[in-house]
Amino acid sequence: MPELPEVETTRRGLAPHVVGRRVVEVTVREPRLRWPVTPQLSRDLPGRRIDNLTRRAKYLLLAAGDGHLLMHLGMSGRLRVVPADTPAGLHDHLDIRLDSGQVMRLNDPRRFGCALWLRQPPDEHALIAGLGPEPLSDAFNGDWLYARSRGRRAAVKAFIMDAANVVGVGNIYASEALFEAGIHPSRPAGRIGPARYARLVEAIKQTLARAIDAGGTTLRDYIGVDGGTGWFQLSLAVYGREGRPCPRDATPIRRRIIGQRSTFFCPRCQT
Ligand SMILES: [Zn+2]
Protein backbone atom coordinates (compact mmCIF):
# COMPACT_ATOMS: atom_id res chain seq x y z
CA MET A 1 0.00 0.00 0.00
CA PRO A 2 1.39 3.45 -0.83
CA GLU A 3 2.30 5.23 2.41
CA LEU A 4 2.92 8.95 2.87
CA PRO A 5 6.53 8.79 1.56
CA GLU A 6 5.41 7.06 -1.65
CA VAL A 7 2.62 9.60 -2.11
CA GLU A 8 5.07 12.48 -1.59
CA THR A 9 7.49 10.82 -4.04
CA THR A 10 4.64 10.54 -6.53
CA ARG A 11 3.81 14.22 -6.06
CA ARG A 12 7.41 15.30 -6.61
CA GLY A 13 7.69 13.10 -9.67
CA LEU A 14 4.46 14.31 -11.25
CA ALA A 15 4.61 18.02 -10.43
CA PRO A 16 7.15 19.10 -13.09
CA HIS A 17 5.09 17.31 -15.76
CA VAL A 18 1.66 18.65 -14.83
CA VAL A 19 1.90 22.02 -13.08
CA GLY A 20 1.36 24.90 -15.53
CA ARG A 21 -0.12 22.56 -18.16
CA ARG A 22 -3.61 22.91 -19.55
CA VAL A 23 -5.95 19.93 -19.48
CA VAL A 24 -7.09 18.91 -22.96
CA GLU A 25 -9.31 15.94 -22.22
CA VAL A 26 -10.36 13.62 -19.41
CA THR A 27 -11.03 9.96 -20.18
CA VAL A 28 -12.73 7.82 -17.58
CA ARG A 29 -12.60 4.12 -18.47
CA GLU A 30 -13.85 2.87 -15.12
CA PRO A 31 -15.75 5.28 -12.85
CA ARG A 32 -16.27 2.73 -10.06
CA LEU A 33 -13.41 3.61 -7.76
CA ARG A 34 -13.87 3.85 -4.00
CA TRP A 35 -16.37 6.59 -4.81
CA PRO A 36 -17.69 7.05 -8.35
CA VAL A 37 -15.79 9.37 -10.66
CA THR A 38 -18.50 11.86 -11.57
CA PRO A 39 -19.25 13.10 -15.12
CA GLN A 40 -18.61 16.65 -13.86
CA LEU A 41 -14.89 15.89 -13.89
CA SER A 42 -14.82 15.23 -17.65
CA ARG A 43 -17.01 18.29 -18.20
CA ASP A 44 -15.29 20.81 -15.91
CA LEU A 45 -11.58 19.99 -15.95
CA PRO A 46 -10.76 20.24 -19.69
CA GLY A 47 -9.62 23.75 -20.64
CA ARG A 48 -8.38 24.50 -17.14
CA ARG A 49 -4.77 25.13 -16.27
CA ILE A 50 -3.22 23.08 -13.48
CA ASP A 51 -2.03 25.63 -10.95
CA ASN A 52 -0.52 23.33 -8.38
CA LEU A 53 -0.11 19.77 -7.17
CA THR A 54 0.01 19.47 -3.40
CA ARG A 55 -0.36 16.74 -0.83
CA ARG A 56 -2.38 16.56 2.39
CA ALA A 57 -1.90 13.31 4.35
CA LYS A 58 -2.07 10.66 1.62
CA TYR A 59 -4.32 12.75 -0.64
CA LEU A 60 -2.99 14.48 -3.73
CA LEU A 61 -4.67 17.75 -4.65
CA LEU A 62 -4.56 19.02 -8.20
CA ALA A 63 -5.62 22.68 -8.13
CA ALA A 64 -7.22 24.01 -11.32
CA GLY A 65 -8.81 27.43 -10.94
CA ASP A 66 -11.71 27.23 -8.48
CA GLY A 67 -11.79 23.41 -8.68
CA HIS A 68 -9.65 20.71 -7.12
CA LEU A 69 -9.13 17.10 -8.06
CA LEU A 70 -8.69 15.13 -4.84
CA MET A 71 -6.93 11.84 -5.47
CA HIS A 72 -6.02 8.92 -3.24
CA LEU A 73 -4.04 5.88 -4.32
CA GLY A 74 -5.93 3.50 -2.03
CA MET A 75 -4.32 0.07 -1.70
CA SER A 76 -2.81 -0.34 -5.13
CA GLY A 77 -3.07 2.92 -7.07
CA ARG A 78 -0.32 4.40 -9.21
CA LEU A 79 -0.13 7.66 -11.10
CA ARG A 80 2.17 7.97 -14.07
CA VAL A 81 2.86 10.46 -16.81
CA VAL A 82 3.15 8.83 -20.21
CA PRO A 83 3.00 9.98 -23.87
CA ALA A 84 -0.62 10.43 -24.92
CA ASP A 85 -0.40 7.70 -27.56
CA THR A 86 0.60 5.06 -25.01
CA PRO A 87 -2.11 2.38 -25.20
CA ALA A 88 -4.10 2.05 -21.99
CA GLY A 89 -3.65 -1.22 -20.19
CA LEU A 90 -5.73 -3.21 -17.76
CA HIS A 91 -6.77 -1.13 -14.71
CA ASP A 92 -5.85 2.19 -16.36
CA HIS A 93 -9.07 3.79 -15.15
CA LEU A 94 -8.49 7.49 -15.67
CA ASP A 95 -6.48 9.65 -18.10
CA ILE A 96 -5.95 13.38 -17.86
CA ARG A 97 -4.53 14.49 -21.19
CA LEU A 98 -2.36 17.60 -21.08
CA ASP A 99 -1.35 20.16 -23.69
CA SER A 100 2.21 18.81 -23.46
CA GLY A 101 1.19 15.67 -25.37
CA GLN A 102 1.37 13.59 -22.21
CA VAL A 103 -1.31 12.04 -20.07
CA MET A 104 -1.44 11.64 -16.33
CA ARG A 105 -2.78 8.11 -15.95
CA LEU A 106 -4.29 6.46 -12.88
CA ASN A 107 -3.90 2.69 -12.62
CA ASP A 108 -5.56 0.95 -9.69
CA PRO A 109 -6.19 -2.82 -9.80
CA ARG A 110 -8.11 -2.95 -6.51
CA ARG A 111 -10.00 0.34 -7.06
CA PHE A 112 -9.79 1.55 -3.46
CA GLY A 113 -8.37 4.83 -4.70
CA CYS A 114 -10.45 7.86 -5.60
CA ALA A 115 -10.58 10.87 -7.91
CA LEU A 116 -13.10 13.40 -6.61
CA TRP A 117 -13.78 16.70 -8.37
CA LEU A 118 -14.38 19.36 -5.72
CA ARG A 119 -15.93 22.77 -6.19
CA GLN A 120 -15.35 23.73 -2.56
CA PRO A 121 -12.11 24.54 -0.71
CA PRO A 122 -10.49 21.11 -0.11
CA ASP A 123 -9.78 21.95 3.55
CA GLU A 124 -13.53 21.97 4.13
CA HIS A 125 -14.10 18.55 2.57
CA ALA A 126 -15.11 15.79 5.00
CA LEU A 127 -12.07 13.67 4.05
CA ILE A 128 -9.65 16.48 4.92
CA ALA A 129 -11.33 18.64 7.58
CA GLY A 130 -10.67 16.39 10.59
CA LEU A 131 -7.05 15.57 9.85
CA GLY A 132 -4.26 16.28 12.33
CA PRO A 133 -1.05 18.11 11.40
CA GLU A 134 1.39 17.02 8.69
CA PRO A 135 4.23 15.05 10.29
CA LEU A 136 6.95 17.09 8.57
CA SER A 137 5.43 20.46 9.50
CA ASP A 138 6.36 22.62 12.49
CA ALA A 139 2.81 22.24 13.79
CA PHE A 140 3.71 18.65 14.61
CA ASN A 141 5.97 18.85 17.64
CA GLY A 142 6.45 17.34 21.08
CA ASP A 143 4.21 19.88 22.81
CA TRP A 144 1.36 19.04 20.44
CA LEU A 145 1.56 15.28 21.05
CA TYR A 146 2.01 15.78 24.77
CA ALA A 147 -1.08 18.02 25.00
CA ARG A 148 -3.17 15.70 22.80
CA SER A 149 -2.26 12.62 24.85
CA ARG A 150 -3.20 13.81 28.35
CA GLY A 151 -5.67 11.38 29.90
CA ARG A 152 -5.38 8.96 26.97
CA ARG A 153 -5.01 5.30 27.86
CA ALA A 154 -4.58 4.06 24.28
CA ALA A 155 -1.24 2.47 23.42
CA VAL A 156 1.14 5.12 22.12
CA LYS A 157 1.53 3.21 18.86
CA ALA A 158 -2.20 3.37 18.15
CA PHE A 159 -2.16 7.01 19.28
CA ILE A 160 0.45 8.10 16.73
CA MET A 161 -1.29 6.11 13.97
CA ASP A 162 -4.54 8.01 14.60
CA ALA A 163 -4.86 10.62 11.82
CA ALA A 164 -6.57 13.05 14.18
CA ASN A 165 -3.26 13.33 16.10
CA VAL A 166 -0.85 13.30 13.16
CA VAL A 167 -1.33 12.10 9.58
CA GLY A 168 0.75 9.66 7.61
CA VAL A 169 2.42 7.58 10.33
CA GLY A 170 1.84 4.14 8.83
CA ASN A 171 2.39 0.83 10.56
CA ILE A 172 6.01 0.32 9.55
CA TYR A 173 6.98 3.90 10.38
CA ALA A 174 5.28 3.75 13.79
CA SER A 175 7.28 0.67 14.85
CA GLU A 176 10.54 2.11 13.55
CA ALA A 177 10.06 5.55 15.14
CA LEU A 178 9.13 4.09 18.54
CA PHE A 179 12.27 1.95 18.46
CA GLU A 180 14.34 4.98 17.51
CA ALA A 181 12.85 6.94 20.44
CA GLY A 182 13.19 4.03 22.91
CA ILE A 183 9.48 4.02 23.73
CA HIS A 184 7.56 0.77 24.26
CA PRO A 185 4.68 0.63 21.75
CA SER A 186 2.16 -0.57 24.36
CA ARG A 187 2.84 2.27 26.79
CA PRO A 188 -0.34 4.31 27.42
CA ALA A 189 -0.11 7.57 25.47
CA GLY A 190 -1.06 9.57 28.56
CA ARG A 191 1.88 8.15 30.53
CA ILE A 192 4.65 9.65 28.40
CA GLY A 193 6.32 12.93 29.30
CA PRO A 194 7.15 15.96 27.12
CA ALA A 195 10.84 15.12 26.66
CA ARG A 196 10.06 11.64 25.37
CA TYR A 197 7.39 13.03 23.04
CA ALA A 198 9.93 15.50 21.67
CA ARG A 199 12.25 12.55 20.90
CA LEU A 200 9.41 10.58 19.35
CA VAL A 201 8.44 13.48 17.08
CA GLU A 202 12.06 13.81 15.91
CA ALA A 203 12.17 10.06 15.24
CA ILE A 204 8.94 10.17 13.21
CA LYS A 205 10.19 13.11 11.13
CA GLN A 206 13.54 11.44 10.47
CA THR A 207 12.02 8.07 9.58
CA LEU A 208 9.60 9.63 7.09
CA ALA A 209 12.22 12.02 5.65
CA ARG A 210 14.62 9.11 5.07
CA ALA A 211 11.90 7.19 3.27
CA ILE A 212 11.08 10.19 1.07
CA ASP A 213 14.78 10.61 0.25
CA ALA A 214 15.03 6.92 -0.61
CA GLY A 215 12.03 7.32 -2.90
CA GLY A 216 13.64 10.23 -4.67
CA THR A 217 16.34 7.96 -6.02
CA THR A 218 13.72 5.88 -7.83
CA LEU A 219 11.86 8.82 -9.34
CA ARG A 220 12.96 8.14 -12.88
CA ASP A 221 11.58 4.60 -12.78
CA TYR A 222 8.45 5.92 -11.19
CA ILE A 223 7.46 8.10 -14.05
CA GLY A 224 8.93 5.83 -16.71
CA VAL A 225 6.80 4.77 -19.63
CA ASP A 226 7.65 1.16 -18.86
CA GLY A 227 5.39 1.41 -15.84
CA GLY A 228 8.25 0.69 -13.49
CA THR A 229 7.25 1.28 -9.91
CA GLY A 230 8.83 3.53 -7.38
CA TRP A 231 8.11 1.48 -4.27
CA PHE A 232 11.20 1.31 -2.21
CA GLN A 233 12.50 -0.70 0.68
CA LEU A 234 13.90 1.03 3.70
CA SER A 235 16.49 -0.61 5.85
CA LEU A 236 14.43 -1.44 8.91
CA ALA A 237 15.64 -1.86 12.50
CA VAL A 238 12.70 -3.79 13.97
CA TYR A 239 9.79 -4.06 11.54
CA GLY A 240 9.36 -7.60 10.20
CA ARG A 241 12.33 -8.82 12.26
CA GLU A 242 10.69 -10.94 14.96
CA GLY A 243 13.24 -13.18 16.70
CA ARG A 244 16.19 -11.45 15.08
CA PRO A 245 18.72 -9.48 17.14
CA CYS A 246 18.03 -5.87 18.08
CA PRO A 247 20.57 -3.66 16.25
CA ARG A 248 21.45 -1.98 19.57
CA ASP A 249 21.78 -4.77 22.14
CA ALA A 250 21.07 -8.01 20.23
CA THR A 251 17.95 -8.84 22.29
CA PRO A 252 15.54 -10.84 20.08
CA ILE A 253 12.92 -8.53 18.55
CA ARG A 254 9.35 -9.27 19.62
CA ARG A 255 6.08 -8.99 17.76
CA ARG A 256 2.75 -8.04 19.33
CA ILE A 257 -0.63 -7.06 17.90
CA ILE A 258 -1.61 -3.52 18.87
CA GLY A 259 -4.78 -2.03 17.42
CA GLN A 260 -5.03 -5.06 15.11
CA ARG A 261 -1.65 -4.30 13.55
CA SER A 262 1.61 -6.21 13.85
CA THR A 263 4.01 -4.28 16.02
CA PHE A 264 7.73 -4.99 16.39
CA PHE A 265 9.90 -3.83 19.26
CA CYS A 266 12.90 -4.55 21.44
CA PRO A 267 11.71 -5.50 24.95
CA ARG A 268 14.88 -4.09 26.52
CA CYS A 269 15.61 -0.90 24.58
CA GLN A 270 11.99 0.26 24.60
CA THR A 271 10.34 1.11 27.90
ZN1 LIG B 1 17.41 -3.57 21.98
Side-chain angles (χ1 to χ4, degrees), residues 115-137:
L116 297 175
W117 179 240
L118 310 184
R119 300 302 302 271
Q120 69 193 110
D123 285 352
E124 295 171 9
H125 192 273
L127 291 170
I128 304 281
L131 294 175
E134 284 291 318
L136 296 172
S137 72

PDB file of all heavy atoms in Angstrom, residues 115-137:
ATOM      1  N   ALA A 115     -10.846   9.640  -7.158  1.00  0.00           N
ATOM      2  CA  ALA A 115     -10.580  10.868  -7.909  1.00  0.00           C
ATOM      3  C   ALA A 115     -11.861  11.683  -7.830  1.00  0.00           C
ATOM      4  O   ALA A 115     -12.817  11.442  -8.553  1.00  0.00           O
ATOM      5  CB  ALA A 115     -10.209  10.550  -9.360  1.00  0.00           C
ATOM      6  N   LEU A 116     -11.888  12.618  -6.886  1.00  0.00           N
ATOM      7  CA  LEU A 116     -13.097  13.398  -6.614  1.00  0.00           C
ATOM      8  C   LEU A 116     -12.904  14.833  -7.081  1.00  0.00           C
ATOM      9  O   LEU A 116     -11.929  15.489  -6.704  1.00  0.00           O
ATOM     10  CB  LEU A 116     -13.401  13.406  -5.109  1.00  0.00           C
ATOM     11  CG  LEU A 116     -13.715  12.056  -4.459  1.00  0.00           C
ATOM     12  CD1 LEU A 116     -13.860  12.231  -2.948  1.00  0.00           C
ATOM     13  CD2 LEU A 116     -14.977  11.455  -5.045  1.00  0.00           C
ATOM     14  N   TRP A 117     -13.823  15.313  -7.892  1.00  0.00           N
ATOM     15  CA  TRP A 117     -13.777  16.699  -8.372  1.00  0.00           C
ATOM     16  C   TRP A 117     -14.515  17.578  -7.387  1.00  0.00           C
ATOM     17  O   TRP A 117     -15.706  17.386  -7.139  1.00  0.00           O
ATOM     18  CB  TRP A 117     -14.387  16.767  -9.769  1.00  0.00           C
ATOM     19  CG  TRP A 117     -14.418  18.144 -10.366  1.00  0.00           C
ATOM     20  CD1 TRP A 117     -15.522  18.834 -10.750  1.00  0.00           C
ATOM     21  CD2 TRP A 117     -13.293  18.974 -10.666  1.00  0.00           C
ATOM     22  NE1 TRP A 117     -15.153  20.049 -11.277  1.00  0.00           N
ATOM     23  CE2 TRP A 117     -13.797  20.163 -11.232  1.00  0.00           C
ATOM     24  CE3 TRP A 117     -11.910  18.836 -10.496  1.00  0.00           C
ATOM     25  CZ2 TRP A 117     -12.963  21.206 -11.640  1.00  0.00           C
ATOM     26  CZ3 TRP A 117     -11.076  19.868 -10.901  1.00  0.00           C
ATOM     27  CH2 TRP A 117     -11.607  21.039 -11.468  1.00  0.00           C
ATOM     28  N   LEU A 118     -13.801  18.511  -6.773  1.00  0.00           N
ATOM     29  CA  LEU A 118     -14.381  19.355  -5.725  1.00  0.00           C
ATOM     30  C   LEU A 118     -14.558  20.776  -6.232  1.00  0.00           C
ATOM     31  O   LEU A 118     -13.657  21.336  -6.845  1.00  0.00           O
ATOM     32  CB  LEU A 118     -13.461  19.408  -4.491  1.00  0.00           C
ATOM     33  CG  LEU A 118     -12.931  18.102  -3.891  1.00  0.00           C
ATOM     34  CD1 LEU A 118     -12.132  18.418  -2.629  1.00  0.00           C
ATOM     35  CD2 LEU A 118     -14.060  17.151  -3.578  1.00  0.00           C
ATOM     36  N   ARG A 119     -15.705  21.353  -5.901  1.00  0.00           N
ATOM     37  CA  ARG A 119     -15.931  22.765  -6.191  1.00  0.00           C
ATOM     38  C   ARG A 119     -16.037  23.549  -4.880  1.00  0.00           C
ATOM     39  O   ARG A 119     -16.666  24.585  -4.829  1.00  0.00           O
ATOM     40  CB  ARG A 119     -17.204  22.934  -7.031  1.00  0.00           C
ATOM     41  CG  ARG A 119     -17.159  22.210  -8.360  1.00  0.00           C
ATOM     42  CD  ARG A 119     -15.984  22.675  -9.231  1.00  0.00           C
ATOM     43  NE  ARG A 119     -16.022  24.097  -9.502  1.00  0.00           N
ATOM     44  CZ  ARG A 119     -16.653  24.650 -10.535  1.00  0.00           C
ATOM     45  NH1 ARG A 119     -17.271  23.909 -11.404  1.00  0.00           N
ATOM     46  NH2 ARG A 119     -16.636  25.947 -10.703  1.00  0.00           N
ATOM     47  N   GLN A 120     -15.393  23.042  -3.841  1.00  0.00           N
ATOM     48  CA  GLN A 120     -15.354  23.731  -2.560  1.00  0.00           C
ATOM     49  C   GLN A 120     -13.888  23.727  -2.118  1.00  0.00           C
ATOM     50  O   GLN A 120     -13.107  22.911  -2.614  1.00  0.00           O
ATOM     51  CB  GLN A 120     -16.205  22.973  -1.525  1.00  0.00           C
ATOM     52  CG  GLN A 120     -15.568  21.629  -1.137  1.00  0.00           C
ATOM     53  CD  GLN A 120     -16.480  20.701  -0.362  1.00  0.00           C
ATOM     54  OE1 GLN A 120     -16.907  19.676  -0.863  1.00  0.00           O
ATOM     55  NE2 GLN A 120     -16.752  21.059   0.884  1.00  0.00           N
ATOM     56  N   PRO A 121     -13.488  24.591  -1.187  1.00  0.00           N
ATOM     57  CA  PRO A 121     -12.109  24.536  -0.709  1.00  0.00           C
ATOM     58  C   PRO A 121     -11.825  23.147  -0.118  1.00  0.00           C
ATOM     59  O   PRO A 121     -12.600  22.664   0.701  1.00  0.00           O
ATOM     60  CB  PRO A 121     -12.067  25.616   0.382  1.00  0.00           C
ATOM     61  CG  PRO A 121     -13.200  26.535   0.056  1.00  0.00           C
ATOM     62  CD  PRO A 121     -14.260  25.680  -0.579  1.00  0.00           C
ATOM     63  N   PRO A 122     -10.745  22.491  -0.549  1.00  0.00           N
ATOM     64  CA  PRO A 122     -10.489  21.113  -0.105  1.00  0.00           C
ATOM     65  C   PRO A 122     -10.383  20.977   1.407  1.00  0.00           C
ATOM     66  O   PRO A 122     -10.755  19.937   1.959  1.00  0.00           O
ATOM     67  CB  PRO A 122      -9.172  20.739  -0.789  1.00  0.00           C
ATOM     68  CG  PRO A 122      -8.739  21.892  -1.595  1.00  0.00           C
ATOM     69  CD  PRO A 122      -9.766  22.960  -1.526  1.00  0.00           C
ATOM     70  N   ASP A 123      -9.900  22.022   2.087  1.00  0.00           N
ATOM     71  CA  ASP A 123      -9.775  21.946   3.548  1.00  0.00           C
ATOM     72  C   ASP A 123     -11.113  21.731   4.232  1.00  0.00           C
ATOM     73  O   ASP A 123     -11.174  21.275   5.367  1.00  0.00           O
ATOM     74  CB  ASP A 123      -9.166  23.240   4.100  1.00  0.00           C
ATOM     75  CG  ASP A 123      -7.680  23.317   3.819  1.00  0.00           C
ATOM     76  OD1 ASP A 123      -7.123  22.299   3.347  1.00  0.00           O
ATOM     77  OD2 ASP A 123      -7.093  24.382   4.056  1.00  0.00           O
ATOM     78  N   GLU A 124     -12.201  22.110   3.527  1.00  0.00           N
ATOM     79  CA  GLU A 124     -13.534  21.970   4.126  1.00  0.00           C
ATOM     80  C   GLU A 124     -14.160  20.625   3.814  1.00  0.00           C
ATOM     81  O   GLU A 124     -15.223  20.291   4.335  1.00  0.00           O
ATOM     82  CB  GLU A 124     -14.458  23.083   3.600  1.00  0.00           C
ATOM     83  CG  GLU A 124     -14.012  24.471   4.037  1.00  0.00           C
ATOM     84  CD  GLU A 124     -14.808  25.567   3.339  1.00  0.00           C
ATOM     85  OE1 GLU A 124     -15.818  25.253   2.659  1.00  0.00           O
ATOM     86  OE2 GLU A 124     -14.418  26.742   3.476  1.00  0.00           O
ATOM     87  N   HIS A 125     -13.522  19.836   2.942  1.00  0.00           N
ATOM     88  CA  HIS A 125     -14.095  18.548   2.571  1.00  0.00           C
ATOM     89  C   HIS A 125     -13.997  17.567   3.739  1.00  0.00           C
ATOM     90  O   HIS A 125     -13.020  17.570   4.493  1.00  0.00           O
ATOM     91  CB  HIS A 125     -13.363  17.988   1.344  1.00  0.00           C
ATOM     92  CG  HIS A 125     -14.070  16.818   0.741  1.00  0.00           C
ATOM     93  ND1 HIS A 125     -13.866  15.529   1.164  1.00  0.00           N
ATOM     94  CD2 HIS A 125     -15.015  16.744  -0.238  1.00  0.00           C
ATOM     95  CE1 HIS A 125     -14.652  14.710   0.467  1.00  0.00           C
ATOM     96  NE2 HIS A 125     -15.352  15.427  -0.392  1.00  0.00           N
ATOM     97  N   ALA A 126     -15.028  16.711   3.865  1.00  0.00           N
ATOM     98  CA  ALA A 126     -15.106  15.794   5.003  1.00  0.00           C
ATOM     99  C   ALA A 126     -13.866  14.898   5.122  1.00  0.00           C
ATOM    100  O   ALA A 126     -13.469  14.527   6.230  1.00  0.00           O
ATOM    101  CB  ALA A 126     -16.360  14.923   4.876  1.00  0.00           C
ATOM    102  N   LEU A 127     -13.241  14.553   3.994  1.00  0.00           N
ATOM    103  CA  LEU A 127     -12.070  13.673   4.053  1.00  0.00           C
ATOM    104  C   LEU A 127     -10.838  14.378   4.618  1.00  0.00           C
ATOM    105  O   LEU A 127      -9.901  13.750   5.085  1.00  0.00           O
ATOM    106  CB  LEU A 127     -11.742  13.133   2.655  1.00  0.00           C
ATOM    107  CG  LEU A 127     -12.740  12.144   2.058  1.00  0.00           C
ATOM    108  CD1 LEU A 127     -12.425  11.899   0.590  1.00  0.00           C
ATOM    109  CD2 LEU A 127     -12.735  10.831   2.842  1.00  0.00           C
ATOM    110  N   ILE A 128     -10.837  15.700   4.554  1.00  0.00           N
ATOM    111  CA  ILE A 128      -9.653  16.485   4.917  1.00  0.00           C
ATOM    112  C   ILE A 128      -9.839  17.226   6.239  1.00  0.00           C
ATOM    113  O   ILE A 128      -8.900  17.396   7.013  1.00  0.00           O
ATOM    114  CB  ILE A 128      -9.354  17.536   3.805  1.00  0.00           C
ATOM    115  CG1 ILE A 128      -9.186  16.855   2.443  1.00  0.00           C
ATOM    116  CG2 ILE A 128      -8.158  18.396   4.148  1.00  0.00           C
ATOM    117  CD1 ILE A 128      -7.875  16.203   2.203  1.00  0.00           C
ATOM    118  N   ALA A 129     -11.078  17.675   6.494  1.00  0.00           N
ATOM    119  CA  ALA A 129     -11.330  18.638   7.580  1.00  0.00           C
ATOM    120  C   ALA A 129     -10.849  18.159   8.955  1.00  0.00           C
ATOM    121  O   ALA A 129     -10.349  18.952   9.741  1.00  0.00           O
ATOM    122  CB  ALA A 129     -12.816  18.979   7.621  1.00  0.00           C
ATOM    123  N   GLY A 130     -10.994  16.850   9.242  1.00  0.00           N
ATOM    124  CA  GLY A 130     -10.671  16.390  10.593  1.00  0.00           C
ATOM    125  C   GLY A 130      -9.245  15.911  10.784  1.00  0.00           C
ATOM    126  O   GLY A 130      -8.912  15.359  11.834  1.00  0.00           O
ATOM    127  N   LEU A 131      -8.403  16.127   9.778  1.00  0.00           N
ATOM    128  CA  LEU A 131      -7.055  15.571   9.850  1.00  0.00           C
ATOM    129  C   LEU A 131      -6.148  16.364  10.785  1.00  0.00           C
ATOM    130  O   LEU A 131      -6.208  17.588  10.846  1.00  0.00           O
ATOM    131  CB  LEU A 131      -6.422  15.537   8.458  1.00  0.00           C
ATOM    132  CG  LEU A 131      -7.065  14.600   7.429  1.00  0.00           C
ATOM    133  CD1 LEU A 131      -6.380  14.778   6.072  1.00  0.00           C
ATOM    134  CD2 LEU A 131      -6.989  13.153   7.898  1.00  0.00           C
ATOM    135  N   GLY A 132      -5.283  15.661  11.480  1.00  0.00           N
ATOM    136  CA  GLY A 132      -4.265  16.278  12.326  1.00  0.00           C
ATOM    137  C   GLY A 132      -3.165  16.895  11.485  1.00  0.00           C
ATOM    138  O   GLY A 132      -3.236  16.907  10.253  1.00  0.00           O
ATOM    139  N   PRO A 133      -2.115  17.424  12.135  1.00  0.00           N
ATOM    140  CA  PRO A 133      -1.045  18.114  11.400  1.00  0.00           C
ATOM    141  C   PRO A 133      -0.226  17.172  10.520  1.00  0.00           C
ATOM    142  O   PRO A 133      -0.178  15.964  10.742  1.00  0.00           O
ATOM    143  CB  PRO A 133      -0.178  18.703  12.515  1.00  0.00           C
ATOM    144  CG  PRO A 133      -0.503  17.910  13.732  1.00  0.00           C
ATOM    145  CD  PRO A 133      -1.909  17.447  13.586  1.00  0.00           C
ATOM    146  N   GLU A 134       0.420  17.747   9.521  1.00  0.00           N
ATOM    147  CA  GLU A 134       1.387  17.024   8.690  1.00  0.00           C
ATOM    148  C   GLU A 134       2.614  16.674   9.551  1.00  0.00           C
ATOM    149  O   GLU A 134       3.115  17.536  10.281  1.00  0.00           O
ATOM    150  CB  GLU A 134       1.850  17.913   7.527  1.00  0.00           C
ATOM    151  CG  GLU A 134       0.844  18.043   6.413  1.00  0.00           C
ATOM    152  CD  GLU A 134       0.673  16.726   5.652  1.00  0.00           C
ATOM    153  OE1 GLU A 134       1.678  16.050   5.384  1.00  0.00           O
ATOM    154  OE2 GLU A 134      -0.481  16.391   5.346  1.00  0.00           O
ATOM    155  N   PRO A 135       3.114  15.459   9.427  1.00  0.00           N
ATOM    156  CA  PRO A 135       4.230  15.052  10.292  1.00  0.00           C
ATOM    157  C   PRO A 135       5.507  15.854  10.059  1.00  0.00           C
ATOM    158  O   PRO A 135       6.303  16.022  10.981  1.00  0.00           O
ATOM    159  CB  PRO A 135       4.446  13.572   9.928  1.00  0.00           C
ATOM    160  CG  PRO A 135       3.811  13.397   8.584  1.00  0.00           C
ATOM    161  CD  PRO A 135       2.686  14.375   8.525  1.00  0.00           C
ATOM    162  N   LEU A 136       5.709  16.370   8.859  1.00  0.00           N
ATOM    163  CA  LEU A 136       6.954  17.087   8.574  1.00  0.00           C
ATOM    164  C   LEU A 136       6.806  18.599   8.763  1.00  0.00           C
ATOM    165  O   LEU A 136       7.713  19.364   8.459  1.00  0.00           O
ATOM    166  CB  LEU A 136       7.445  16.762   7.161  1.00  0.00           C
ATOM    167  CG  LEU A 136       7.816  15.279   6.971  1.00  0.00           C
ATOM    168  CD1 LEU A 136       8.118  14.971   5.513  1.00  0.00           C
ATOM    169  CD2 LEU A 136       8.999  14.883   7.852  1.00  0.00           C
ATOM    170  N   SER A 137       5.630  19.031   9.273  1.00  0.00           N
ATOM    171  CA  SER A 137       5.426  20.465   9.495  1.00  0.00           C
ATOM    172  C   SER A 137       5.811  20.832  10.928  1.00  0.00           C
ATOM    173  O   SER A 137       5.888  19.977  11.813  1.00  0.00           O
ATOM    174  CB  SER A 137       3.952  20.820   9.260  1.00  0.00           C
ATOM    175  OG  SER A 137       3.157  20.314  10.336  1.00  0.00           O
TER     176      SER A 137
END
